[in-house]
Amino acid sequence: MGAPLALIAGPLSACAGLVLVLLLGLRKDHPAPHNPFIERCAAMACTAIGLFFLLNAPEAARTELLRADGWSRCWQALFHLATLGLLATIPLKGERPLILALASLAGLDFLASADNLLMLFVSLELMSLPVYLLVWGLLPSRKSLEAGIKYFLTGAAASALFLFGLALQYSASGSFSLHGERSADSALGFALMCAAALFKTGIVPFQFWLPDVYEASEPELAGWMSTALKAAGLLLLARLLFASPAVPAALWLSPLAALSMLLGNILALRQQNLRRLLAYSSIAHAGALAAALCAWTREPHAAPAVIFSYLSAYLFMNFGGFLGLRLTGALCVQDLSGLGRRAPLRSAFLALMLLSLAGLPPTLGFLAKLYVFLDLLQAGDKFLAAALALSSLIGLGYYLGLVRRMYMDEPAAAAEQPPICSRMAHSLIAVLCALACMLGGLYPSMSTDIGSVLAAPAAEGSVR
Amino acid sequence: MVTLAVAVCAVAALASAGLAFFSKNLYSSAFCLLAVLLQVALLFCLLGSTLLGLLQLLVYAGGIMVLIVAAVTAVGPESGNAKALGPSRAHAWALLALCAVPTAFFLIAARHCAPSLPPAAMLEKSMARLLFNEYALLTEAVGLLVLVASLSVLKEQHD
Amino acid sequence: MMTQYAALGVVAIPACALLVGNLFFHGRWASRMHLPMILSCLLVSLCSLFLAWEVHSGMPLLDAALRPWISLNGCMDSFGLRIDALSVSVLAMVAVVSTLIHVYASAYMQGDPGYGRFFLYFHFFFLSMVGLLVSNSYLQLYIFWEGVGLSSFLLIGFWRHKESARAAAWKAFLVNRIGDVGFLLAVLLMLRYFGTTRFEVVFRLAGELPPGIAALIAGLLFWGACAKSAQFPLHVWLPDAMEGPTPVSALMHAATMVTAGVFLLARSMPLFAHAPQVMSAMRAIGLLTALAAAIVAATQKDLKRILAYSTISQLGFMVLALGAGNVLAAVFHLITHGFFKALLFLCAGGVIFALHDSLHGATSASVDDAGGLSGRLPILTGAFLIGALSLAGLPPFSGFFSKDLVLESVFSSRPLAVLSLLTAAGSSFYIFRMWLLAFLGDRSLQRGPSSPVHAPGLRMKVPILSLAVLSAAGGMLGAPLAAMLGAPAPSLDLHVSAWALGSALLGFGAAWRACMSRPDFDWDWRKRAGAFERACGRDFGWQDFTDGFARAMKECADVIADAWENRRWDPFTESLADSCVGLGEQACALCRGRVNEYAAWMFLGTLLLIFAWVLRWVSCF
Amino acid sequence: MIELLLRLLCAGLFILGAAFLVRRRELLAMLIGLELMINAANLMIVRTALARGDAHGLAAALIVIAAAAAEAAVGVALILALYRDFAEPEAEEIRELQG
Amino acid sequence: MGVMLLTWLWCAPALASALIAALPSRRLARAAALMASAGILAYALYLGRPLFDQTSLAILEMPFPASAFGIRYTLALDGLSFSLCALTALLTLLSLAASWKSESSQGFWSCFLALEAALMGVFLSRDLFWFYVFWDLALVPMFFIIGLWGSEGRRKAAYKFFLYTAAGSLCLLLGLLSLVVLHQRVTGIWTWDMAELALSPGPGRHAPWIFALLFIGFGVKVPVFPLHNWLPEAHTEAPAAGSALLAGSMLKMGVFGILRVLLPVFPMQCWRYLPWLGTLAVINILYGAFCAMAQKDLKRLVAFTSVSHMGFCLLGIASMTNVGLQGASLQMINHGLSTGGLFLLVGMLYERTHRRGIEDFGALAEKAPSFTFFFGFILLSSIGLPGLNGFVGELLSLLGMAQSYFPLALLASMGAILAAAYGLPAFQKVFWAPAGPGSVSEKVMDLDLREQLILSTLCLLILWLGLSPGTLLRLLQPTASLLARPV
C-alpha cells in the first residue's frame, strides 16, 4: 500500500474532498446562495489529510505515469498548503468553488508527480480548466467574465501549444516519456511546450492575461493563483528544461527572465488597481524565479532548494499580500491613503507583506532574493544578477509608494473608505503569514534544510 | 492509392480551414470546421485506425460541433461592428512570415522520421487495455476534467 | 619651582578669571566684570616680570610638558610650557600693556550694554595671546593662534548691530584662516618629517631636512605670520578691523594679535636659518609693506585707520629685521612698538571718547572731526606727542633705539637702506601730520566740531600716562633684552643714527610744512589728486582685488549649489526615477486589453523560442 | 510522401488555428481556431502512433479528444454567458481590463 | 551560548521599541523611551569597560554554529564599534530628550529605538549577512521618522532617501555576495566573516568591479560626492532628532563599512586607487563647503557641512596611514557630536518658530544668549577650531594624507578656509545682525534647562575630545594600525 499511497496521496485526498463536497451538497436541494461551512471544513480536512500523508510518506515510487520522491512531495505539499489557505478564506455562495479548487488541486498534484508528457498535459488541463471557471464564477460580474474568457482563450491556446509540442516529441521519440529520443522534431516540440510553461508562469511575452485575471478575481483567488499556479508553471518549466535537448537556458530564458523582472516592475509602477499592481509584481517575481532556473542549468547544486525556498517564501508573502488587500478592503491605491491610522494592525500587516515582497531584510522575501542572488553569482550570471538588483530597486519604488500612502497620506473622506473585512480565518492566516515573513528571514539555513529534503531527486538526476 | 486519398483529404481539409478563416459568417466558419473535422476523421480511417476515426466523428461532429453551432445560433452569425482590432494586418502577415521558418524546418524534419511500419494488428485492442491499466490514472484524470466541464454547464443552469 | 608655578600661572590665572567671570558676574554684576580681569592681568604681569627677572638673572630654559594631548605611538605633542628669553620678553610687554589697556577699557566701555561680554572676550584675547607666547610646540601655538583669531572675530564684531563691524569681523577671521592654513600645513609637514612639533626637536633636526622642505615649511610659516601680522598680501583685514571698540584696536595692535605673527617668525628663526630664500622674501615683503603702508597712512583721514596703516608699516619693519636675521632688533621694536602704539591708540580713543557727542554714535573719528584739540585736551596732546616722537624715531624716545637697530641690520645693502630710510621718513611724516591736524590744526579751517568735549577720567589717564612713560623710556630696555637674547649689546652706530634722525626730521619738517605752514594744503592736495587718494584708500587696488576674489568665490558657490546641484544634478537623479515611470506609461500602450493581441504576443514569443531552439539544433550539425 | 503531406496539413491547420486567434474578433471563431489547433496536434499523434504501431499514441489521441471536448464545453459556456449577460460576443468589446 | 552580552546591545532597543509601540499612552511611551535609551547608553558604556582598561582588544560573540552558506551570527565589539555604539546610544538619548515636548505618538519613540537597534547591529556585526540585514533594516525606521514626523516636504524626502540609499544597498549587496561567492569558489569555504574574508584571494581579476560596487554601496551612505544628493533633502525634512541621528550615526555606517569591509578585503586596490579616493575626498570637502556657502536654509547648510566633514573621514581613510585612519575614525565621532548638536539646535529653533531660513532670524544673541553660546560653540567645533574636537579629527586626517600625498592635503586644507566662509556669516546673520522685516526672532525663547543640559553634555564631550582625544584614540588605534599600509 505504501508505494501507491506515496504516488497518489495528494490527488486522492483532493478527489476525496471533491466527492465529499459533492455528496454533502446533495443533502439539500435548494440552490439558493449560502455559505457552506461544513463543506468548507470537509474540503479543508481532506486537503490537510493529504498534506499529512505527503509529509509522512517517505517511500519513493514510480509507475509509467507518475513518480513520487522528495521533490514531488515537496511541491505537492506546497500546493496543498496554498490550497488550504484558499479554501479557508475564499468567500462562498455555494459549494462549487470548493469543488473547482479541489479539482484544480488534483491537477496540481498530478503535475508535481507526473513523469510522462501525456500526464503532464492532462494535469495541466485539469489544473487550469477549473480555474477558468473559478475566475468567472466567484465574482459574477462583467469583469470576471471578461477575465475568464481571456484567460480561457489564451490558456487554451497555451494548452494547444503544449499539445502540439507533445505530438512533436512523440513523433520524434515514439514515447511520451520525458527522456525520450532526441531529433529535430523534439527541438520544435520542446520549444512549444516551454512556451506553454512560460505562459503558466507568466513570463514576459506570455504574461498579458495575468493582470487582467488577477484584477477581476477575488484577492484570495488571485493570491492562490499567483502562488500555486505560478509554482506549477515553474515546475513544468523546470521539468522541460532539464529534459530538453541541450539548449542553454541563457540563450532564451535569461533574456526573458530579465525582461519579466524589469517590465513587470516598471508596469507595476503606474498601476492604480492594487490587484493589478500585485499581478505585475508577481510577473516580476516570476522573472526572478526564472532567473534562478537559469542559474540552475549552470550550477545544479543549490538551485532546486533556492527555487523552492523562493516559492515557499513567495507563498507566504504574496498570499499574505492579497490577504492584506482583502483585510483592508482596499481596491485601488487611493483606498490605502491614511490606512495606517484607520486600521493600524491591518496596515502594519500589509506593509510587512509589501516590504517582504520588496525583499527588505530581515523578512522572508529578503532571504529568498538573497538565495537567488547567490545562485546567480555562483553560476556566474552577472547580467541576471544586475537585472535582479535593478528590478528590486524599481520594485521598491512602488512597494514603498504603497507604504508611504498608507502611513503618510491624509485619509480619504469617511464615505469613500472601503469597508474592512473581519473574518476569523483571514486574520488567523494573516498572523501565520506575518510570523513566517518575520521569523523566516532570521533563519538563513532555510534553503539548505529544504535542500536536504529535495536532495534525493536532485542526486538521482530524475529532475535533470 | 492511399497516398492519393490522403493527399485529397489533406488538401480538402486545408482548403476548408482556409475558407473557415476567411468567411465572415460564423455559420459558414462552423460548417467549414465541420468539414475539416470530417476530413481528419477520414484521414484517421485512411491511416489505419477506424475506431479513432469514428470517435473523432462522434465527439467532434456529434458533440463539439453541436455545441458550437448552437452557440452560433444563439449569438447570431454576423459580427457586429467591424472596427480594426488586435494586431494589424501587416503585423499578422509578419507573424505569418515568421512562421515560415519553423514550418520549413518541420517539413524538412520529415526526413529524420522513423520509417513507417505496417499497421500492427490488435492496435486498438491494446489501446483499450492501456486505457484501463497503465493509463488508468490518466483516464480518471480526464474523467475529472469532464466532470469539471459539466459543472460549467450546470453553472449555466444554476445562475 | 617658583618659576614653574609662575609660568603655569601665566596661563592658569586668566583662565580662572574667565571662569570666575563667566560663572559669577551675571546681571547686575556684569558691570563689574572688569574687576577679575584686571586683577588677573596684574597677576600675570607680576608673574611675567618675575619670570623676566629670573631669565635675566640666568635661569635656564624652562621647557616642560604638562600633559599629553594627541599621542600616536608617542609621535605627537603634549601641552607644555616654554619659558625662554624670547617668550618672556614679549610676555612681559604684552602683560603690562594689556593690564593698562584693561584699565583703560573699563572706563572707555562704561555703560555699554555688552560690558560683561566685552571683558570676557577681551580677556580671552589676552589669554590666547599669553598662551601663544608660552607654548612649547608649534601645534600648541597653533591652538592659541586660532584662539587669537577667534577672539579678534568676536571683538571686531563686538558692536554686532553694525553691518560694517560684522563684515570686518568676518573678513578678519577669514583672512586669518587663510594664513592659518599655511601654518597648519607647516605643522603637518613638521609632523610628517619630525613626528613632533616641539620647538627644541624641530630646531635641532631642521638641518637634516631636505632643502626644499625646509624652505616650504618656512614659507608656509611665513604665510601664516603674514596674515596675523598684516603683511602684504594678507594685510587687508587690519584696516577694517578698526570697527571694533578702540581698546580692542589698542590691544590688537600693541599687544596681542599682530605681534603674534612677528613672535612666530622670531621664534622660528633657527628654522628659517635653513631657508635663505624665505628670508630674502621676508625682507622684500617687509620692506614693501612698510613703505606702502606708510604712504597709505599719510593719505588717510580717519584717526584709527592712520594708526592701523602705521601698525602695518611698523610690522613691516619688524619683518624686515627678521628677514635680515636680527631677532633682537625685531623683538626690541616689537616691544617699543607695543608701548607707543598702545599709547597712540589710547590717545585716539581718548579723542573719540572726548568727541562722543559730536560723532553722533560713530565709533571712530577723522582728523576733520578732531583738530585743534590741544587746548582742551592737554594731557592727550602731550601723550600723543610722546607716542609720535617715539614712532618717528626721535631720540631719546624708545622708538629711536629700536628703529635704529632695525635700520642697522639692513644698512649693509644700499637699496634696502634707502628704502627703509624713506619709510622712516614717511612714518615720521604721517604721524606728525596726524598729530598736527588733530591737536594743533585750525578748527575753523577743518570744520571741526564746536560741541563740548569730555575730558578723560582717571581710569583713562593713568594708562595713558603710564604708557607715555614707557614709550619715552622704553629705549632703556635694549641692553637687558640683548643680554637675555644672548645678542651683543646694542651700540649706537652713529652713521646709521644720523641717517635715521635725519629722515625722521625730514618727515617732521614735511608734515609741519604740509599742515601748519599752509593749513589748507592737506585739503587742496586731496582735491587735486583724488584718484591717488582713492587708490591709496584701496591699498593701490589690492582691496578691490581681494573683494572681487571673495565675490567670485561666493558666486562660484552659488553656481555650484544652485546651477549645478539644484538645477542639474538633483533633477537628473530624480529624473531617473521619473523615467522609469515614463517607461511604464509607454509599456502600458502594449496592454490594451485585446485578447487577440495577447494571443499574437504569445505566438510571437513562441516563435522566438522556436528560433532559439532551431538555431541551436541547426548549429549542432 | 504521406509523411510530408500530413506534416504540411498539421502545420497548416495549426497555423491557421493560431491565425483565428490572432485575427478573428468573434469569440466563437477563436474557439473554432482552438479546435483546429488541437486537431492538428491530434493528427500528428495518430499518424505517429499508426506509423510506429504504438498503442500509447492511440490512447493519447483518445484522451486528447476527450480533453478537447471538455475544454470546448467550458469555452462555449463562457462565451454563451457573456452573450447572455452582456450580448457582446466580440473580442473587441471585452476590453474593460487593460493597462 | 552564554549570556550573549553583545546581542543584548541591539536586542534591548529592539525589544524596547516593540514594547513602546504597544504602550497605551503617549506620555508613558515618551518616558519609557527616554529611560530605555538611557539604560542602553549605560549598558553600552558598561560593555566597553574592558576596552577602556585595555584588558582586551575586542569582545567576540559567536553563540550559534554556522548555518547555510557559512552564514554565522557573529558579533564583535572592538574600540571602533564601541565608540560608534556609544555615540549612537548617546545621540539617541539626546535626540529623544530634545524631542521631549513633541506631541508625537508612540510610533515616534518606537521608531527611534528601532533605528538604534539597527545601527547597533551594523556596528556590532562581524558577519556580512547580518551586517547587511541591519544595514538595510536601518532604512525602515528612518523612512518613517522622516516621512511621518518631518516638515512639509517629508513625503518626497522620505521616499527619495529610501530609494536612493536602497540603490546603494543593492550595489553593496551585489558586491558582498560576489565577494562571498568568489571566495568560496577559490578557497572552497563558505564564509561571511569579515575577518576571514580579509585579503581574500577570491576576487582576483574581478576585484575592480567588486571594489566599485562596494565603494558605491558604502559611498552612498557616506555620502561621497556625486552620490550625495539624497542627503540635503532628507536632513532638511527630517525632524530635528531624526536629522541628528541621521547625521550623527547613520552616515557613519558608510565609513564604518569602508573601514571594516573595503579596506581589509581590498588593501591592494585601495593603495592603487589612493589618489582617486583622496581626490574624491577633497572634492567632497570642497563641494560640500561651497554648497553650504550658498544655502539660505540653516538645516540645509548644516547638511552640506556634513558632506564636507565626511570628506575628511574619507581623506583619512584614503591616506591609508595609521594616523589618517585614526583621524577618520575620530572624525566620525566628532562629526556625530558637532553636526548632531547643530541639528538639534536648528531643530530647537524650528520648534519655536517653524522657520529655518537664515533670513528669518536676526539679533538672536540679545534674545537668547545661551542659545547663541551653544550654537557658537558647536559651530566652532564644526568649523574645526583647535582645542575643540573637530580640529583633532581634521588634523589627523590631514596629517595622514600629508604623509601619503601632500598635495591632496594641501587642497583639503582649503576646506578649513571655506568652513569659516560658510559657518560664520550664517552665525552672524542669525545671531548678530538686527532682525529683518520678516523676522520671527521675537518668538524665540531662550533654552530651558532640559535643552541646556542636552547641549552641555555635547559641549563637554566636544571640549573633552578636543583637549584630550587620547582616550578615544587609544580605543580606535588597534583598528587603524591593522588597516594602515605598512610603511
Side-chain angles (χ1 to χ4, degrees), chain B residues 32-43:
Chain B
C32 288
L33 173 67
L34 184 59
V36 176
L37 296 177
L38 287 177
Q39 305 298 333
V40 171
L42 200 55
L43 272 176

Side-chain angles (χ1 to χ4, degrees), chain E residues 423-448:
Chain E
L424 294 181
F427 178 79
Q428 285 187 331
K429 180 76 199 62
V430 172
F431 292 96
W432 286 7
S439 147
V440 286
S441 294
E442 309 80 51
K443 289 191 210 159
V444 179
M445 313 291 289
D446 208 358
L447 300 177
D448 59 20

Side-chain angles (χ1 to χ4, degrees), chain E residues 51-65:
Chain E
L51 302 173
F52 269 119
D53 305 345
Q54 302 209 296
T55 46
S56 72
L57 282 180
I59 309 166
L60 197 65
E61 189 171 297
M62 312 170 84
F64 308 112

Side-chain angles (χ1 to χ4, degrees), chain A residues 150 183-184 206 212 247 266 270, chain C residues 584-585 588 593 598 602 613 617:
Chain A
K150 281 179 171 173
S183 76
F206 304 92
D212 291 356
V247 174
I266 285 179
R270 64 172 296 281
Chain C
E585 301 277 348
C588 266
Y598 296 1
M602 215 171 110
W613 244 281
W617 183 261

Side-chain angles (χ1 to χ4, degrees), chain A residues 346-361:
Chain A
R346 283 153 203 272
S347 46
F349 168 69
L350 185 55
L352 178 65
M353 291 303 133
L354 290 173
L355 291 182
S356 182
L357 282 170
L360 229 60

